[in-house]
Amino acid sequence: GGMCVGFKPAVRNGHQFVNRSDRAVQYLLCGSRVPGDQGFYPDDDRMRFDTESGGHAAHKDGRPYR
């Protein structure tokens, strides 16, 4: 048994997985990793984006996380 879930690309809607059981969880994450891919965390002052030099985390105003 198990479950499957999917999220539409380019929809600015935060999502999370919460394990409310007392058992360990295994999950498989699939993504395209296309150049210029971005991730936004609407409840936090955080975003993630990819450039030619790799992945980067930053504040929403663009300042890098240190």
Side-chain angles (χ1 to χ4, degrees), residues 5-60:
V5 64
F7 299 98
K8 289 182 179 182
V11 174
R12 297 184 109 179
N13 181 21
H15 49 270
Q16 66 178 337
F17 296 99
V18 178
N19 178 13
R20 292 191 173 105
S21 76
D22 59 355
R23 298 181 65 190
V25 172
Q26 291 182 325
Y27 66 95
L28 173 65
L29 177 63
C30 300
S32 63
R33 297 290 184 212
V34 296
D37 197 12
Q38 299 179 0
F40 297 93
Y41 302 82
D43 294 335
D44 301 306
D45 179 25
R46 190 172 155 208
M47 61 185 267
R48 186 189 182 291
F49 58 96
D50 293 332
T51 67
E52 294 81 20
S53 63
H56 304 279
H59 296 275
K60 288 181 181 175

